Amino acid sequence: MEITEALTVLPMPANHHRGPIGWLRDHVARFSNGEDHRRRRALVTDLLAGIDPARLNHTTTPVAALADALGIPADPADVAEVARVYHPHLTPDPAAEQALTRLVDACGGTWDEPTAAKICLLVQARAGLAGPVRVTRRQALDGRVVELDLLEAGLPFGAGPHECPGQAHVAALTGFAALHHAETPLLLPNAWDYASAAALHDAGFPAIGTTSLGVAATHGLPDGGGHTRAETVALARSLSRLPCPITVDIEAGFSEDPGEVADLAAELVSIGIAGINLEDSRPGGLAEPDQHAALVKAVKTRAPSLFVNARTDTHWLTSTPPPLSHTLDRARRYVEAGADGIFVPGLTDPADIAAVVGGIPVPINVLYSPGLDYTGLVVGRVSLGSLLYRAALHAATGVARSIRNGEPIPDGIPGYQDVTRLIP
């Protein structure tokens, strides 16, 4: 039986657990069949129809935003507990059962299908923040529970009668801004051409950035001098074909004119780019904070949906950075101008990172540094910058030297067909 046919005709597996979690499974559309599924799905679609997906964008707590839109004073921690054991093949524990009871109370205390519909939206939204659901389960005609690999079949989550009814809401909750508010920092790899970006996406990274050094050096140009506007836009246009958020390093905007930088931002949005890095470095030093804030404000005014990661280079390529108060002052001015995130490359002291995180009300982005544990620092993003580009140069020259010296080359190098399959 083909996967697409199985999704259409095979029922969802039965729930054999009693208790609060068992009640939820028995009353949500996600695990229902036939008329029960149609009735419960209608409850969900009615709830979603009353929520503008735009309300779920650029929020510090995506699940809390959905709960607010539904009018539910739910604790996201309770939603996470229930999501952990939501599926019928998992065994609930007392913590999850108690969390569900609190969610029902938050919904008004009535154990009915409308309450289950609200909770299922919160739980499935929470599960979706971990990334696309690859495997779904169905009950075969002989009673066996079979697993169906949706990614392998090229199908969306819930294909068939259980197809997700809130694609726009999912996109808002799991969009680029939301990736900065997950349980672990967004690890952002930076590409320099289409093949490197496609390979990183194929490796499972949920979003891809660009590296200005990689772009400039690939074209034989110096980095940071504002010489690669055309090359940067051309790369952005190419990467926009990938099915994941793309954020582009535009150096200092390739202009001192706020209107021209805003025009560039609008052009990038028009081709599907999700975010930009906009740095305050200038030839000869740092821009005045108000000058850079004006660029940020112009971009956000012209392209409000674009995630602007305002970069301050107070700690970049210097052994004597200024007091941290200078960094915080710049960051606050950029946030007041509309920045969605703050990037401080070169900041590696855990106490300083914690101070910036605690003093700035938007996600903080730091540059990867070996040996630093970012998970405990509550940063929103860890960028790899030009590291991968430099590693690729190192690997290429290393293989060439090995061949020249009659030495074996490393295992795992992609084959010709491995690379061509990345190109649509």
Side-chain angles (χ1 to χ4, degrees), residues 274-333:
I276 60 169
N277 267 17
L278 185 60
E279 66 190 49
D280 60 10
S281 279
R282 303 290 188 271
L286 299 183
E288 290 298 321
D290 289 344
Q291 178 189 17
H292 194 65
L295 297 186
V296 172
K297 184 175 181 179
V299 168
K300 289 302 293 183
T301 300
R302 183 76 181 278
S305 67
L306 191 68
F307 188 101
V308 175
N309 201 37
R311 167 175 159 170
T312 180
D313 283 349
T314 54
H315 286 66
W316 183 236
L317 300 181
T318 178
S319 59
T320 56
L324 193 63
S325 59
H326 289 217
T327 303
L328 289 167
D329 177 65
R330 285 180 174 269
R332 290 180 183 124
R333 296 194 196 194

Side-chain angles (χ1 to χ4, degrees), residues 354-370:
V356 174
V357 170
I360 303 299
V362 297
I364 301 303
N365 179 192
V366 293
L367 191 65
Y368 170 77
S369 179

Side-chain angles (χ1 to χ4, degrees), residues 108-398:
T110 303
W111 295 72
D112 58 9
E113 288 186 352
T115 295
K118 293 176 181 178
I119 294 174
C120 99
L121 279 177
L122 294 174
V123 169
Q124 289 182 207
R126 173 61 180 76
L129 292 177
V133 177
R134 174 165 181 163
V135 174
T136 188
R137 295 167 181 80
R138 294 292 188 273
Q139 187 167 334
L141 300 178
D142 61 3
R144 292 180 300 112
V145 174
V146 296
E147 293 189 347
L148 306 173
D149 192 319
L150 300 176
L151 183 61
E152 186 176 288
L155 295 170
F157 166 60
H162 288 78
E163 183 176 3
C164 176
Q167 298 286 357
H169 301 80
V170 171
L173 283 168
T174 60
F176 186 57
L179 293 175
H180 295 75
H181 305 288
E183 292 181 352
T184 57
L186 169 65
L187 181 62
L188 185 77
N190 300 79
W192 56 94
D193 59 14
Y194 182 86
S196 58
L200 290 165
H201 172 66
D202 190 62
F205 290 93
I208 308 294
T210 66
T211 161
S212 63
L213 173 64
V215 174
T218 295
H219 291 88
L221 296 168
D223 181 34
H227 304 296
T228 58
R229 187 189 192 283
E231 292 80 3
T232 297
V233 172
L235 177 59
R237 192 175 299 277
S238 174
L239 300 191
S240 67
R241 294 182 289 162
L242 291 170
C244 67
I246 302 296
T247 182
V248 177
D249 186 338
I250 63 169
E251 298 186 5
F254 305 113
S255 174
E256 290 295 329
D257 184 325
E260 292 182 0
V261 179
D263 287 343
L264 172 59
E267 182 178 1
L268 292 173
V269 169
S270 73
I271 61 178
I273 298 305
I276 60 169
N277 267 17
L278 185 60
E279 66 190 49
D280 60 10
S281 279
R282 303 290 188 271
L286 299 183
E288 290 298 321
D290 289 344
Q291 178 189 17
H292 194 65
L295 297 186
V296 172
K297 184 175 181 179
V299 168
K300 289 302 293 183
T301 300
R302 183 76 181 278
S305 67
L306 191 68
F307 188 101
V308 175
N309 201 37
R311 167 175 159 170
T312 180
D313 283 349
T314 54
H315 286 66
W316 183 236
L317 300 181
T318 178
S319 59
T320 56
L324 193 63
S325 59
H326 289 217
T327 303
L328 289 167
D329 177 65
R330 285 180 174 269
R332 290 180 183 124
R333 296 194 196 194
Y334 303 159
V335 171
E336 289 172 2
D340 302 288
I342 293 294
F343 183 21
V344 192
L347 191 68
T348 58
D349 181 84
D352 287 345
I353 294 174
V356 174
V357 170
I360 303 299
V362 297
I364 301 303
N365 179 192
V366 293
L367 191 65
Y368 170 77
S369 179
L372 193 58
D373 179 13
Y374 297 98
T375 56
L377 296 174
V378 204
V379 296
R381 185 199 302 185
V382 177
S383 296
L384 299 187
S386 64
L387 175 61
L388 300 183
Y389 176 71
R390 293 181 282 113
L393 294 179
H394 175 73
T397 54

